[in-house]
mmCIF file with all atom_site columns, all heavy atoms in Angstrom:
data_model
loop_
_atom_site.group_PDB
_atom_site.id
_atom_site.type_symbol
_atom_site.label_atom_id
_atom_site.label_alt_id
_atom_site.label_comp_id
_atom_site.label_asym_id
_atom_site.label_entity_id
_atom_site.label_seq_id
_atom_site.pdbx_PDB_ins_code
_atom_site.Cartn_x
_atom_site.Cartn_y
_atom_site.Cartn_z
_atom_site.occupancy
_atom_site.B_iso_or_equiv
_atom_site.pdbx_formal_charge
_atom_site.auth_seq_id
_atom_site.auth_comp_id
_atom_site.auth_asym_id
_atom_site.auth_atom_id
_atom_site.pdbx_PDB_model_num
ATOM 1   N N   . ASP A 1 1  ? -2.298 -22.018 -39.802 1.00 0.00 ? 1  ASP A N   1
ATOM 2   C CA  . ASP A 1 1  ? -0.978 -21.394 -39.771 1.00 0.00 ? 1  ASP A CA  1
ATOM 3   C C   . ASP A 1 1  ? -0.508 -20.955 -41.150 1.00 0.00 ? 1  ASP A C   1
ATOM 4   O O   . ASP A 1 1  ? 0.205  -19.947 -41.265 1.00 0.00 ? 1  ASP A O   1
ATOM 5   C CB  . ASP A 1 1  ? 0.031  -22.367 -39.157 1.00 0.00 ? 1  ASP A CB  1
ATOM 6   C CG  . ASP A 1 1  ? -0.154 -22.522 -37.650 1.00 0.00 ? 1  ASP A CG  1
ATOM 7   O OD1 . ASP A 1 1  ? -0.236 -21.508 -36.954 1.00 0.00 ? 1  ASP A OD1 1
ATOM 8   O OD2 . ASP A 1 1  ? -0.216 -23.668 -37.178 1.00 0.00 ? 1  ASP A OD2 1
ATOM 9   N N   . GLY A 1 2  ? -0.896 -21.666 -42.194 1.00 0.00 ? 2  GLY A N   1
ATOM 10  C CA  . GLY A 1 2  ? -0.479 -21.265 -43.541 1.00 0.00 ? 2  GLY A CA  1
ATOM 11  C C   . GLY A 1 2  ? -1.105 -19.935 -43.957 1.00 0.00 ? 2  GLY A C   1
ATOM 12  O O   . GLY A 1 2  ? -0.416 -19.077 -44.514 1.00 0.00 ? 2  GLY A O   1
ATOM 13  N N   . THR A 1 3  ? -2.393 -19.755 -43.664 1.00 0.00 ? 3  THR A N   1
ATOM 14  C CA  . THR A 1 3  ? -3.056 -18.496 -43.993 1.00 0.00 ? 3  THR A CA  1
ATOM 15  C C   . THR A 1 3  ? -2.483 -17.346 -43.157 1.00 0.00 ? 3  THR A C   1
ATOM 16  O O   . THR A 1 3  ? -2.297 -16.236 -43.656 1.00 0.00 ? 3  THR A O   1
ATOM 17  C CB  . THR A 1 3  ? -4.577 -18.609 -43.760 1.00 0.00 ? 3  THR A CB  1
ATOM 18  O OG1 . THR A 1 3  ? -5.077 -19.746 -44.470 1.00 0.00 ? 3  THR A OG1 1
ATOM 19  C CG2 . THR A 1 3  ? -5.299 -17.379 -44.238 1.00 0.00 ? 3  THR A CG2 1
ATOM 20  N N   . ILE A 1 4  ? -2.200 -17.632 -41.892 1.00 0.00 ? 4  ILE A N   1
ATOM 21  C CA  . ILE A 1 4  ? -1.594 -16.621 -41.034 1.00 0.00 ? 4  ILE A CA  1
ATOM 22  C C   . ILE A 1 4  ? -0.223 -16.211 -41.567 1.00 0.00 ? 4  ILE A C   1
ATOM 23  O O   . ILE A 1 4  ? 0.119  -15.020 -41.616 1.00 0.00 ? 4  ILE A O   1
ATOM 24  C CB  . ILE A 1 4  ? -1.500 -17.127 -39.583 1.00 0.00 ? 4  ILE A CB  1
ATOM 25  C CG1 . ILE A 1 4  ? -2.898 -17.278 -38.997 1.00 0.00 ? 4  ILE A CG1 1
ATOM 26  C CG2 . ILE A 1 4  ? -0.650 -16.183 -38.717 1.00 0.00 ? 4  ILE A CG2 1
ATOM 27  C CD1 . ILE A 1 4  ? -2.936 -18.047 -37.697 1.00 0.00 ? 4  ILE A CD1 1
ATOM 28  N N   . ASN A 1 5  ? 0.574  -17.195 -41.979 1.00 0.00 ? 5  ASN A N   1
ATOM 29  C CA  . ASN A 1 5  ? 1.899  -16.869 -42.506 1.00 0.00 ? 5  ASN A CA  1
ATOM 30  C C   . ASN A 1 5  ? 1.805  -15.991 -43.741 1.00 0.00 ? 5  ASN A C   1
ATOM 31  O O   . ASN A 1 5  ? 2.550  -15.002 -43.878 1.00 0.00 ? 5  ASN A O   1
ATOM 32  C CB  . ASN A 1 5  ? 2.674  -18.162 -42.828 1.00 0.00 ? 5  ASN A CB  1
ATOM 33  C CG  . ASN A 1 5  ? 4.026  -17.889 -43.408 1.00 0.00 ? 5  ASN A CG  1
ATOM 34  O OD1 . ASN A 1 5  ? 4.184  -17.679 -44.606 1.00 0.00 ? 5  ASN A OD1 1
ATOM 35  N ND2 . ASN A 1 5  ? 5.038  -17.837 -42.556 1.00 0.00 ? 5  ASN A ND2 1
ATOM 36  N N   . GLU A 1 6  ? 0.907  -16.318 -44.636 1.00 0.00 ? 6  GLU A N   1
ATOM 37  C CA  . GLU A 1 6  ? 0.724  -15.474 -45.834 1.00 0.00 ? 6  GLU A CA  1
ATOM 38  C C   . GLU A 1 6  ? 0.342  -14.054 -45.428 1.00 0.00 ? 6  GLU A C   1
ATOM 39  O O   . GLU A 1 6  ? 0.856  -13.074 -45.997 1.00 0.00 ? 6  GLU A O   1
ATOM 40  C CB  . GLU A 1 6  ? -0.362 -16.071 -46.726 1.00 0.00 ? 6  GLU A CB  1
ATOM 41  C CG  . GLU A 1 6  ? 0.061  -17.284 -47.517 1.00 0.00 ? 6  GLU A CG  1
ATOM 42  C CD  . GLU A 1 6  ? -0.983 -17.648 -48.548 1.00 0.00 ? 6  GLU A CD  1
ATOM 43  O OE1 . GLU A 1 6  ? -1.859 -16.806 -48.848 1.00 0.00 ? 6  GLU A OE1 1
ATOM 44  O OE2 . GLU A 1 6  ? -0.928 -18.774 -49.082 1.00 0.00 ? 6  GLU A OE2 1
ATOM 45  N N   . THR A 1 7  ? -0.561 -13.928 -44.475 1.00 0.00 ? 7  THR A N   1
ATOM 46  C CA  . THR A 1 7  ? -1.006 -12.606 -44.033 1.00 0.00 ? 7  THR A CA  1
ATOM 47  C C   . THR A 1 7  ? 0.147  -11.808 -43.463 1.00 0.00 ? 7  THR A C   1
ATOM 48  O O   . THR A 1 7  ? 0.321  -10.617 -43.777 1.00 0.00 ? 7  THR A O   1
ATOM 49  C CB  . THR A 1 7  ? -2.121 -12.754 -42.990 1.00 0.00 ? 7  THR A CB  1
ATOM 50  O OG1 . THR A 1 7  ? -3.201 -13.491 -43.563 1.00 0.00 ? 7  THR A OG1 1
ATOM 51  C CG2 . THR A 1 7  ? -2.626 -11.401 -42.535 1.00 0.00 ? 7  THR A CG2 1
ATOM 52  N N   . VAL A 1 8  ? 0.938  -12.420 -42.618 1.00 0.00 ? 8  VAL A N   1
ATOM 53  C CA  . VAL A 1 8  ? 2.088  -11.744 -42.023 1.00 0.00 ? 8  VAL A CA  1
ATOM 54  C C   . VAL A 1 8  ? 3.048  -11.257 -43.109 1.00 0.00 ? 8  VAL A C   1
ATOM 55  O O   . VAL A 1 8  ? 3.543  -10.124 -43.066 1.00 0.00 ? 8  VAL A O   1
ATOM 56  C CB  . VAL A 1 8  ? 2.807  -12.673 -41.031 1.00 0.00 ? 8  VAL A CB  1
ATOM 57  C CG1 . VAL A 1 8  ? 4.175  -12.113 -40.647 1.00 0.00 ? 8  VAL A CG1 1
ATOM 58  C CG2 . VAL A 1 8  ? 1.942  -12.882 -39.796 1.00 0.00 ? 8  VAL A CG2 1
ATOM 59  N N   . ASN A 1 9  ? 3.294  -12.088 -44.094 1.00 0.00 ? 9  ASN A N   1
ATOM 60  C CA  . ASN A 1 9  ? 4.189  -11.680 -45.170 1.00 0.00 ? 9  ASN A CA  1
ATOM 61  C C   . ASN A 1 9  ? 3.599  -10.559 -46.007 1.00 0.00 ? 9  ASN A C   1
ATOM 62  O O   . ASN A 1 9  ? 4.317  -9.686  -46.498 1.00 0.00 ? 9  ASN A O   1
ATOM 63  C CB  . ASN A 1 9  ? 4.567  -12.889 -46.033 1.00 0.00 ? 9  ASN A CB  1
ATOM 64  C CG  . ASN A 1 9  ? 5.702  -13.698 -45.422 1.00 0.00 ? 9  ASN A CG  1
ATOM 65  O OD1 . ASN A 1 9  ? 6.866  -13.401 -45.640 1.00 0.00 ? 9  ASN A OD1 1
ATOM 66  N ND2 . ASN A 1 9  ? 5.353  -14.703 -44.644 1.00 0.00 ? 9  ASN A ND2 1
ATOM 67  N N   . GLY A 1 10 ? 2.278  -10.556 -46.170 1.00 0.00 ? 10 GLY A N   1
ATOM 68  C CA  . GLY A 1 10 ? 1.637  -9.449  -46.869 1.00 0.00 ? 10 GLY A CA  1
ATOM 69  C C   . GLY A 1 10 ? 1.762  -8.146  -46.102 1.00 0.00 ? 10 GLY A C   1
ATOM 70  O O   . GLY A 1 10 ? 1.880  -7.066  -46.696 1.00 0.00 ? 10 GLY A O   1
ATOM 71  N N   . LEU A 1 11 ? 1.730  -8.221  -44.781 1.00 0.00 ? 11 LEU A N   1
ATOM 72  C CA  . LEU A 1 11 ? 1.871  -7.025  -43.957 1.00 0.00 ? 11 LEU A CA  1
ATOM 73  C C   . LEU A 1 11 ? 3.290  -6.491  -43.948 1.00 0.00 ? 11 LEU A C   1
ATOM 74  O O   . LEU A 1 11 ? 3.489  -5.281  -43.811 1.00 0.00 ? 11 LEU A O   1
ATOM 75  C CB  . LEU A 1 11 ? 1.426  -7.327  -42.518 1.00 0.00 ? 11 LEU A CB  1
ATOM 76  C CG  . LEU A 1 11 ? -0.056 -7.613  -42.293 1.00 0.00 ? 11 LEU A CG  1
ATOM 77  C CD1 . LEU A 1 11 ? -0.302 -7.999  -40.840 1.00 0.00 ? 11 LEU A CD1 1
ATOM 78  C CD2 . LEU A 1 11 ? -0.898 -6.405  -42.658 1.00 0.00 ? 11 LEU A CD2 1
ATOM 79  N N   . LEU A 1 12 ? 4.284  -7.367  -44.101 1.00 0.00 ? 12 LEU A N   1
ATOM 80  C CA  . LEU A 1 12 ? 5.675  -6.936  -43.945 1.00 0.00 ? 12 LEU A CA  1
ATOM 81  C C   . LEU A 1 12 ? 6.432  -6.742  -45.253 1.00 0.00 ? 12 LEU A C   1
ATOM 82  O O   . LEU A 1 12 ? 7.331  -5.909  -45.302 1.00 0.00 ? 12 LEU A O   1
ATOM 83  C CB  . LEU A 1 12 ? 6.445  -7.960  -43.083 1.00 0.00 ? 12 LEU A CB  1
ATOM 84  C CG  . LEU A 1 12 ? 6.404  -7.686  -41.572 1.00 0.00 ? 12 LEU A CG  1
ATOM 85  C CD1 . LEU A 1 12 ? 5.056  -8.006  -40.990 1.00 0.00 ? 12 LEU A CD1 1
ATOM 86  C CD2 . LEU A 1 12 ? 7.502  -8.423  -40.859 1.00 0.00 ? 12 LEU A CD2 1
ATOM 87  N N   . ASN A 1 13 ? 6.108  -7.507  -46.262 1.00 0.00 ? 13 ASN A N   1
ATOM 88  C CA  . ASN A 1 13 ? 6.908  -7.444  -47.489 1.00 0.00 ? 13 ASN A CA  1
ATOM 89  C C   . ASN A 1 13 ? 6.464  -6.301  -48.395 1.00 0.00 ? 13 ASN A C   1
ATOM 90  O O   . ASN A 1 13 ? 5.279  -6.009  -48.487 1.00 0.00 ? 13 ASN A O   1
ATOM 91  C CB  . ASN A 1 13 ? 6.814  -8.774  -48.258 1.00 0.00 ? 13 ASN A CB  1
ATOM 92  C CG  . ASN A 1 13 ? 7.691  -9.841  -47.670 1.00 0.00 ? 13 ASN A CG  1
ATOM 93  O OD1 . ASN A 1 13 ? 8.811  -9.580  -47.229 1.00 0.00 ? 13 ASN A OD1 1
ATOM 94  N ND2 . ASN A 1 13 ? 7.202  -11.074 -47.647 1.00 0.00 ? 13 ASN A ND2 1
ATOM 95  N N   . PRO A 1 14 ? 7.419  -5.674  -49.096 1.00 0.00 ? 14 PRO A N   1
ATOM 96  C CA  . PRO A 1 14 ? 7.047  -4.638  -50.062 1.00 0.00 ? 14 PRO A CA  1
ATOM 97  C C   . PRO A 1 14 ? 6.275  -5.218  -51.244 1.00 0.00 ? 14 PRO A C   1
ATOM 98  O O   . PRO A 1 14 ? 6.538  -6.323  -51.687 1.00 0.00 ? 14 PRO A O   1
ATOM 99  C CB  . PRO A 1 14 ? 8.398  -4.064  -50.509 1.00 0.00 ? 14 PRO A CB  1
ATOM 100 C CG  . PRO A 1 14 ? 9.378  -5.145  -50.234 1.00 0.00 ? 14 PRO A CG  1
ATOM 101 C CD  . PRO A 1 14 ? 8.868  -5.879  -49.041 1.00 0.00 ? 14 PRO A CD  1
ATOM 102 N N   . VAL A 1 15 ? 5.298  -4.460  -51.712 1.00 0.00 ? 15 VAL A N   1
ATOM 103 C CA  . VAL A 1 15 ? 4.492  -4.858  -52.862 1.00 0.00 ? 15 VAL A CA  1
ATOM 104 C C   . VAL A 1 15 ? 4.481  -3.687  -53.847 1.00 0.00 ? 15 VAL A C   1
ATOM 105 O O   . VAL A 1 15 ? 4.277  -2.548  -53.461 1.00 0.00 ? 15 VAL A O   1
ATOM 106 C CB  . VAL A 1 15 ? 3.054  -5.220  -52.447 1.00 0.00 ? 15 VAL A CB  1
ATOM 107 C CG1 . VAL A 1 15 ? 2.207  -5.556  -53.661 1.00 0.00 ? 15 VAL A CG1 1
ATOM 108 C CG2 . VAL A 1 15 ? 3.074  -6.396  -51.468 1.00 0.00 ? 15 VAL A CG2 1
ATOM 109 N N   . ASN A 1 16 ? 4.722  -3.992  -55.114 1.00 0.00 ? 16 ASN A N   1
ATOM 110 C CA  . ASN A 1 16 ? 4.708  -2.969  -56.182 1.00 0.00 ? 16 ASN A CA  1
ATOM 111 C C   . ASN A 1 16 ? 5.649  -1.818  -55.879 1.00 0.00 ? 16 ASN A C   1
ATOM 112 O O   . ASN A 1 16 ? 5.359  -0.642  -56.168 1.00 0.00 ? 16 ASN A O   1
ATOM 113 C CB  . ASN A 1 16 ? 3.284  -2.432  -56.389 1.00 0.00 ? 16 ASN A CB  1
ATOM 114 C CG  . ASN A 1 16 ? 2.306  -3.510  -56.831 1.00 0.00 ? 16 ASN A CG  1
ATOM 115 O OD1 . ASN A 1 16 ? 2.700  -4.415  -57.565 1.00 0.00 ? 16 ASN A OD1 1
ATOM 116 N ND2 . ASN A 1 16 ? 1.075  -3.427  -56.390 1.00 0.00 ? 16 ASN A ND2 1
ATOM 117 N N   . GLY A 1 17 ? 6.791  -2.154  -55.263 1.00 0.00 ? 17 GLY A N   1
ATOM 118 C CA  . GLY A 1 17 ? 7.827  -1.152  -55.050 1.00 0.00 ? 17 GLY A CA  1
ATOM 119 C C   . GLY A 1 17 ? 7.626  -0.273  -53.848 1.00 0.00 ? 17 GLY A C   1
ATOM 120 O O   . GLY A 1 17 ? 8.438  0.625   -53.591 1.00 0.00 ? 17 GLY A O   1
ATOM 121 N N   . ASP A 1 18 ? 6.558  -0.497  -53.032 1.00 0.00 ? 18 ASP A N   1
ATOM 122 C CA  . ASP A 1 18 ? 6.387  0.367   -51.856 1.00 0.00 ? 18 ASP A CA  1
ATOM 123 C C   . ASP A 1 18 ? 7.406  -0.008  -50.781 1.00 0.00 ? 18 ASP A C   1
ATOM 124 O O   . ASP A 1 18 ? 7.958  -1.090  -50.779 1.00 0.00 ? 18 ASP A O   1
ATOM 125 C CB  . ASP A 1 18 ? 4.953  0.292   -51.313 1.00 0.00 ? 18 ASP A CB  1
ATOM 126 C CG  . ASP A 1 18 ? 4.614  -1.059  -50.729 1.00 0.00 ? 18 ASP A CG  1
ATOM 127 O OD1 . ASP A 1 18 ? 5.315  -2.037  -51.048 1.00 0.00 ? 18 ASP A OD1 1
ATOM 128 O OD2 . ASP A 1 18 ? 3.641  -1.141  -49.975 1.00 0.00 ? 18 ASP A OD2 1
ATOM 129 N N   . HIS A 1 19 ? 7.663  0.908   -49.875 1.00 0.00 ? 19 HIS A N   1
ATOM 130 C CA  . HIS A 1 19 ? 8.672  0.717   -48.852 1.00 0.00 ? 19 HIS A CA  1
ATOM 131 C C   . HIS A 1 19 ? 7.992  0.400   -47.524 1.00 0.00 ? 19 HIS A C   1
ATOM 132 O O   . HIS A 1 19 ? 7.071  1.093   -47.108 1.00 0.00 ? 19 HIS A O   1
ATOM 133 C CB  . HIS A 1 19 ? 9.534  1.963   -48.697 1.00 0.00 ? 19 HIS A CB  1
ATOM 134 C CG  . HIS A 1 19 ? 10.507 1.877   -47.551 1.00 0.00 ? 19 HIS A CG  1
ATOM 135 N ND1 . HIS A 1 19 ? 11.541 0.963   -47.521 1.00 0.00 ? 19 HIS A ND1 1
ATOM 136 C CD2 . HIS A 1 19 ? 10.571 2.577   -46.392 1.00 0.00 ? 19 HIS A CD2 1
ATOM 137 C CE1 . HIS A 1 19 ? 12.230 1.126   -46.406 1.00 0.00 ? 19 HIS A CE1 1
ATOM 138 N NE2 . HIS A 1 19 ? 11.656 2.095   -45.702 1.00 0.00 ? 19 HIS A NE2 1
ATOM 139 N N   . VAL A 1 20 ? 8.442  -0.673  -46.870 1.00 0.00 ? 20 VAL A N   1
ATOM 140 C CA  . VAL A 1 20 ? 7.926  -1.036  -45.561 1.00 0.00 ? 20 VAL A CA  1
ATOM 141 C C   . VAL A 1 20 ? 9.035  -0.766  -44.555 1.00 0.00 ? 20 VAL A C   1
ATOM 142 O O   . VAL A 1 20 ? 10.059 -1.438  -44.560 1.00 0.00 ? 20 VAL A O   1
ATOM 143 C CB  . VAL A 1 20 ? 7.511  -2.517  -45.509 1.00 0.00 ? 20 VAL A CB  1
ATOM 144 C CG1 . VAL A 1 20 ? 6.924  -2.844  -44.151 1.00 0.00 ? 20 VAL A CG1 1
ATOM 145 C CG2 . VAL A 1 20 ? 6.529  -2.842  -46.609 1.00 0.00 ? 20 VAL A CG2 1
ATOM 146 N N   . PRO A 1 21 ? 8.888  0.227   -43.692 1.00 0.00 ? 21 PRO A N   1
ATOM 147 C CA  . PRO A 1 21 ? 9.951  0.535   -42.743 1.00 0.00 ? 21 PRO A CA  1
ATOM 148 C C   . PRO A 1 21 ? 10.120 -0.584  -41.731 1.00 0.00 ? 21 PRO A C   1
ATOM 149 O O   . PRO A 1 21 ? 9.200  -1.357  -41.494 1.00 0.00 ? 21 PRO A O   1
ATOM 150 C CB  . PRO A 1 21 ? 9.452  1.817   -42.056 1.00 0.00 ? 21 PRO A CB  1
ATOM 151 C CG  . PRO A 1 21 ? 7.967  1.781   -42.211 1.00 0.00 ? 21 PRO A CG  1
ATOM 152 C CD  . PRO A 1 21 ? 7.721  1.095   -43.524 1.00 0.00 ? 21 PRO A CD  1
ATOM 153 N N   . PRO A 1 22 ? 11.319 -0.710  -41.137 1.00 0.00 ? 22 PRO A N   1
ATOM 154 C CA  . PRO A 1 22 ? 11.527 -1.750  -40.127 1.00 0.00 ? 22 PRO A CA  1
ATOM 155 C C   . PRO A 1 22 ? 10.690 -1.483  -38.890 1.00 0.00 ? 22 PRO A C   1
ATOM 156 O O   . PRO A 1 22 ? 10.270 -0.355  -38.613 1.00 0.00 ? 22 PRO A O   1
ATOM 157 C CB  . PRO A 1 22 ? 13.028 -1.625  -39.815 1.00 0.00 ? 22 PRO A CB  1
ATOM 158 C CG  . PRO A 1 22 ? 13.378 -0.218  -40.212 1.00 0.00 ? 22 PRO A CG  1
ATOM 159 C CD  . PRO A 1 22 ? 12.508 0.115   -41.369 1.00 0.00 ? 22 PRO A CD  1
ATOM 160 N N   . GLY A 1 23 ? 10.444 -2.559  -38.114 1.00 0.00 ? 23 GLY A N   1
ATOM 161 C CA  . GLY A 1 23 ? 9.635  -2.412  -36.921 1.00 0.00 ? 23 GLY A CA  1
ATOM 162 C C   . GLY A 1 23 ? 8.153  -2.505  -37.215 1.00 0.00 ? 23 GLY A C   1
ATOM 163 O O   . GLY A 1 23 ? 7.733  -2.581  -38.369 1.00 0.00 ? 23 GLY A O   1
ATOM 164 N N   . SER A 1 24 ? 7.339  -2.501  -36.151 1.00 0.00 ? 24 SER A N   1
ATOM 165 C CA  . SER A 1 24 ? 5.904  -2.725  -36.321 1.00 0.00 ? 24 SER A CA  1
ATOM 166 C C   . SER A 1 24 ? 5.109  -1.438  -36.516 1.00 0.00 ? 24 SER A C   1
ATOM 167 O O   . SER A 1 24 ? 3.918  -1.488  -36.799 1.00 0.00 ? 24 SER A O   1
ATOM 168 C CB  . SER A 1 24 ? 5.363  -3.458  -35.080 1.00 0.00 ? 24 SER A CB  1
ATOM 169 O OG  . SER A 1 24 ? 5.607  -2.701  -33.909 1.00 0.00 ? 24 SER A OG  1
ATOM 170 N N   . GLU A 1 25 ? 5.730  -0.273  -36.374 1.00 0.00 ? 25 GLU A N   1
ATOM 171 C CA  . GLU A 1 25 ? 5.006  0.990   -36.513 1.00 0.00 ? 25 GLU A CA  1
ATOM 172 C C   . GLU A 1 25 ? 4.487  1.182   -37.945 1.00 0.00 ? 25 GLU A C   1
ATOM 173 O O   . GLU A 1 25 ? 5.186  0.876   -38.910 1.00 0.00 ? 25 GLU A O   1
ATOM 174 C CB  . GLU A 1 25 ? 5.921  2.158   -36.144 1.00 0.00 ? 25 GLU A CB  1
ATOM 175 C CG  . GLU A 1 25 ? 6.411  2.118   -34.700 1.00 0.00 ? 25 GLU A CG  1
ATOM 176 C CD  . GLU A 1 25 ? 5.266  2.232   -33.708 1.00 0.00 ? 25 GLU A CD  1
ATOM 177 O OE1 . GLU A 1 25 ? 4.289  2.933   -34.018 1.00 0.00 ? 25 GLU A OE1 1
ATOM 178 O OE2 . GLU A 1 25 ? 5.348  1.600   -32.643 1.00 0.00 ? 25 GLU A OE2 1
ATOM 179 N N   . GLY A 1 26 ? 3.276  1.698   -38.041 1.00 0.00 ? 26 GLY A N   1
ATOM 180 C CA  . GLY A 1 26 ? 2.731  2.010   -39.352 1.00 0.00 ? 26 GLY A CA  1
ATOM 181 C C   . GLY A 1 26 ? 2.056  0.858   -40.056 1.00 0.00 ? 26 GLY A C   1
ATOM 182 O O   . GLY A 1 26 ? 1.511  1.050   -41.136 1.00 0.00 ? 26 GLY A O   1
ATOM 183 N N   . ARG A 1 27 ? 2.079  -0.320  -39.465 1.00 0.00 ? 27 ARG A N   1
ATOM 184 C CA  . ARG A 1 27 ? 1.396  -1.462  -40.062 1.00 0.00 ? 27 ARG A CA  1
ATOM 185 C C   . ARG A 1 27 ? 0.100  -1.754  -39.299 1.00 0.00 ? 27 ARG A C   1
ATOM 186 O O   . ARG A 1 27 ? 0.010  -1.473  -38.107 1.00 0.00 ? 27 ARG A O   1
ATOM 187 C CB  . ARG A 1 27 ? 2.284  -2.717  -40.004 1.00 0.00 ? 27 ARG A CB  1
ATOM 188 C CG  . ARG A 1 27 ? 3.540  -2.664  -40.806 1.00 0.00 ? 27 ARG A CG  1
ATOM 189 C CD  . ARG A 1 27 ? 4.143  -4.068  -40.865 1.00 0.00 ? 27 ARG A CD  1
ATOM 190 N NE  . ARG A 1 27 ? 5.431  -4.023  -41.527 1.00 0.00 ? 27 ARG A NE  1
ATOM 191 C CZ  . ARG A 1 27 ? 6.600  -3.918  -40.909 1.00 0.00 ? 27 ARG A CZ  1
ATOM 192 N NH1 . ARG A 1 27 ? 6.630  -3.820  -39.600 1.00 0.00 ? 27 ARG A NH1 1
ATOM 193 N NH2 . ARG A 1 27 ? 7.727  -3.895  -41.580 1.00 0.00 ? 27 ARG A NH2 1
#
């Protein structure tokens, strides 16, 4: 569960200033 949680946060959180739109589209 810890590795899964990290992965989910990597998919959703902005990195290096990029924008992650709301919702699951585009991920």
Side-chain angles (χ1 to χ4, degrees):
D1 288 310
T3 307
I4 293 167
N5 178 275
E6 285 190 15
T7 302
V8 167
N9 277 274
L11 292 175
L12 270 73
N13 281 321
V15 177
N16 298 325
D18 67 342
H19 174 66
V20 183
S24 59
E25 298 298 326
R27 295 191 185 95

